[in-house]
Amino acid sequence: MIKGLAIATVWVLDQDRAKEFYTEKLGMEVRTDMTMGEGGMRWVTVGAKDQPDVMLTLMVPGAPAMDPESAEMIKKLVSKGVMGAGVLATDDIHGDYEKLKARGVEFLQPPQERPYGTEAILRDDSGNWYSFTQERKGGLDLDQDWAC
C-alpha cells in the first residue's frame, strides 16, 4: 500500500544553480548529489530540515525521462514561469518573507490573507513558482467573503 509521498520532481534549468537556490536561499538541505553510472544522470535531492521523509529532486528535463522535443517544451514552460511547483509551508510568513527577500528570493506577490491562511508567491531561479503559505489556525474561514 502507498504510505505517502517521498520524492517530487521539480524541473530546473541548471542543477548547480538550483541546488544553490534551494539550499542557500530557501534554507533546505542537500540529501543526495550523485551521478548514476558512467556518464549517467545526475540525481540531486533537497528537503526541508524538519521534514526528513519528503524530498524534491532537482531534474533538468531530458533523457532518460523524456525525448528531446518534450524536454525543450518543458524547459520553455519552466523558463516562462508558468509551472507551479507546489506549496512551501511556514509558521512565520511575514518574518520568513522578509528573510527570503533579503536573500534575493523573487516574490511575485507579498503575503496576503486567503481563506486557508496567509500566502505569498515566490519564484525559484529556473522560473517555477511556489505558494509560500502559513496555514490559518482553525482551518478555512468560510464566513469571510473571499475573492481569490
Side-chain angles (χ1 to χ4, degrees), residues 83-97:
M83 303 285 278
V87 178
L88 300 174
T90 180
D91 57 4
D92 181 12
I93 186 77
H94 296 287
D96 289 340
Y97 169 77

Side-chain angles (χ1 to χ4, degrees), residues 55-73:
M55 294 180 278
L56 300 176
T57 182
L58 308 175
M59 296 291 296
V60 175
M66 63 186 69
D67 62 88
E69 181 184 353
S70 297
E72 282 308 307
M73 289 171 47

Side-chain angles (χ1 to χ4, degrees), residues 14 20 28 30-31 45 49 60 65 70-71 83 85 87-88 106 114 129 131-132 134-135 138 141:
D14 180 289
E20 181 180 321
M28 293 185 178
V30 175
R31 303 278 174 78
T45 64
K49 291 178 173 122
V60 175
S70 297
M83 303 285 278
V87 178
L88 300 174
E106 175 189 4
R114 301 282 187 228
W129 62 269
S131 168
F132 184 53
Q134 181 174 348
E135 189 175 337
D141 183 357

Side-chain angles (χ1 to χ4, degrees), residues 101-116:
K101 262 182 63 172
R103 292 181 190 163
V105 174
E106 175 189 4
F107 280 87
L108 304 176
Q109 170 196 296
Q112 296 182 4
E113 293 301 315
R114 301 282 187 228
Y116 45 83

